[in-house]
Amino acid sequence: MPALTSIIIVAADSGATLEACVARVLASSARIELIVADNASTDGAIERLQQRFAADDRLRILRNEKNLGFGPACNLAASQARGDAVLFLNPDCFIEADSIARLRDVSAQQNDVGLIGVCICEPDGRPARAIRRRDPLLRRALMSFSGLSRWENRWPALQGVEMPPLAAAKNASVENVEAVSGALMFVSREVFEKIGGFDPGYFLHCEDIDLCRRVRDAGYRVLFASDLRVIHRQGSSSRHRPVFVARHKHHGMWRWFRKFDPAARNPLLRAIVWLGIWAHFVIVWPRLIFSMRRQRRAA
């Protein structure tokens, strides 16, 4: 019997994209089970799933009484998964029928693989940002923020957080990277359990780069499979509550910095980074409010 892959989707008022995402997953040519962990949605999307796919016993829905956050909901679902590999998938990310089989092929052909990401694309087919990343160390973040990273091919000391565009990457279908997009992450079940799953200290955002870092720290490789492409309609859940999302994103940045960046050991740099992160949140907050209200008026 073919190996079983457990696919985990965390939903939180994810709208119509959730149903389309689930339909794509259940059309997979590989042997799968699908667990949808619902973080107290009230938009009716879970009820529509239950009605449409009631006859498909590959689908299980976990109803959480409150919003646990992304990582904790993933951990809860993973504890009930039966596959030897787990695919964490955003509810606005659409895989192809052969995507899982191809991911398993990549994993089988490589040594010491802990986690695999793919080329996440915008609806128009362009590769999205932040799909091939380096650890967001303070020095790299400054290079990216200042724009100096645009010259990193000439001067490697100017490396930023994002790796160069795919066109500038080496001609290889699979490459070692430090971090991939959390929209789709294929993880060995053994490795996921060995490192303790997602850090529950992150509610939303940055838990993916944390997971990638701990996979590497455990001696396994994080791979990027550029030949595997999926479409991502970003922000199906976050558009409705941008300030909430931004606050947790900034909290995640601060948590990752404290855990992994050597610069955090310097009290002065630690204080400057804390001020910088939350000053940025204060600056973007009015723009997020304005954007949300404009979207509501347009609707």
Side-chain angles (χ1 to χ4, degrees):
M1 181 178 293
L4 177 69
T5 302
S6 300
I7 302 165
I8 293 174
I9 299 172
V10 175
D13 290 329
S14 301
T17 60
L18 174 62
E19 189 174 344
C21 174
V22 167
R24 289 289 196 102
V25 169
L26 294 176
S28 173
S29 59
R31 180 170 171 250
I32 61 129
E33 66 170 357
L34 172 58
I35 303 174
V36 175
D38 174 52
N39 274 337
S41 294
T42 58
D43 63 351
I46 298 300
E47 289 73 18
R48 290 192 293 272
L49 279 187
Q50 291 173 320
Q51 182 177 10
R52 178 175 175 181
F53 301 107
D56 197 325
D57 59 7
R58 295 174 298 169
L59 171 63
R60 283 183 284 157
I61 298 175
L62 305 181
R63 302 296 296 264
N64 300 320
E65 294 182 358
K66 63 179 183 178
N67 190 341
L68 303 179
F70 179 78
C74 284
N75 288 342
L76 179 61
S79 71
Q80 302 184 32
R82 297 169 296 174
D84 68 339
V86 182
L87 179 70
F88 296 103
L89 186 69
N90 274 18
D92 47 12
C93 196
F94 304 138
I95 66 172
E96 302 297 330
D98 63 348
S99 294
I100 296 170
R102 293 176 65 188
L103 279 164
R104 295 197 71 102
D105 286 344
V106 171
S107 181
Q109 293 167 12
Q110 302 288 327
N111 297 320
D112 303 320
V113 178
L115 188 150
I116 304 172
V118 304
C119 185
I120 307 296
C121 296
E122 304 285 359
D124 62 5
R126 292 179 297 111
R129 296 187 59 204
I131 57 176
R132 298 159 59 252
R133 292 180 281 181
R134 305 182 179 101
D135 284 346
L137 300 172
L138 177 59
R139 174 178 54 81
R140 291 172 174 170
L142 291 174
M143 293 302 104
S144 294
F145 182 76
S146 66
L148 292 173
S149 60
R150 73 186 68 177
W151 293 294
E152 70 170 69
N153 287 332
R154 180 176 299 180
W155 295 295
L158 301 180
Q159 282 185 349
V161 175
E162 284 206 46
M163 297 176 69
L166 284 171
K170 294 180 180 179
N171 294 323
S173 59
V174 177
E175 61 179 325
N176 292 318
V177 296
E178 294 184 10
V180 297
S181 169
L184 186 155
M185 295 191 296
F186 181 86
V187 189
S188 158
R189 174 72 174 272
E190 178 183 0
V191 172
F192 187 75
E193 292 180 348
K194 182 176 180 178
I195 66 174
F198 285 99
D199 178 350
Y202 298 90
F203 186 87
L204 186 66
H205 283 292
C206 297
E207 66 284 302
D208 51 354
I209 55 175
D210 180 289
L211 186 73
C212 290
R213 172 61 182 261
R214 289 186 291 116
V215 165
R216 290 169 22 236
D217 286 348
Y220 299 93
R221 292 193 293 154
V222 175
L223 300 182
F224 177 79
S226 60
D227 285 351
L228 261 163
R229 297 189 168 224
V230 299
I231 298 297
H232 186 205
R233 295 179 182 172
Q234 297 188 30
S236 62
S237 300
S238 61
R239 280 196 303 265
H240 308 296
R241 41 192 173 181
V243 176
F244 173 86
V245 170
R247 178 167 62 86
H248 285 292
K249 182 175 183 177
H250 286 74
H251 175 269
M253 293 163 60
W254 172 239
R255 182 172 181 81
W256 194 96
F257 173 76
R258 286 187 294 121
K259 284 184 67 175
F260 299 114
D261 198 324
R265 294 195 289 267
N266 182 307
L268 178 59
L269 288 177
R270 187 183 177 99
I272 291 173
V273 169
W274 186 90
L275 287 171
I277 287 174
W278 292 108
H280 182 265
F281 173 70
V282 171
I283 291 170
V284 302
W285 180 81
R287 177 171 56 83
L288 295 172
I289 292 292
F290 175 77
S291 177
M292 180 179 65
R293 289 178 176 174
R294 185 173 60 182
Q295 288 177 3
R296 287 178 177 174
R297 286 197 298 268

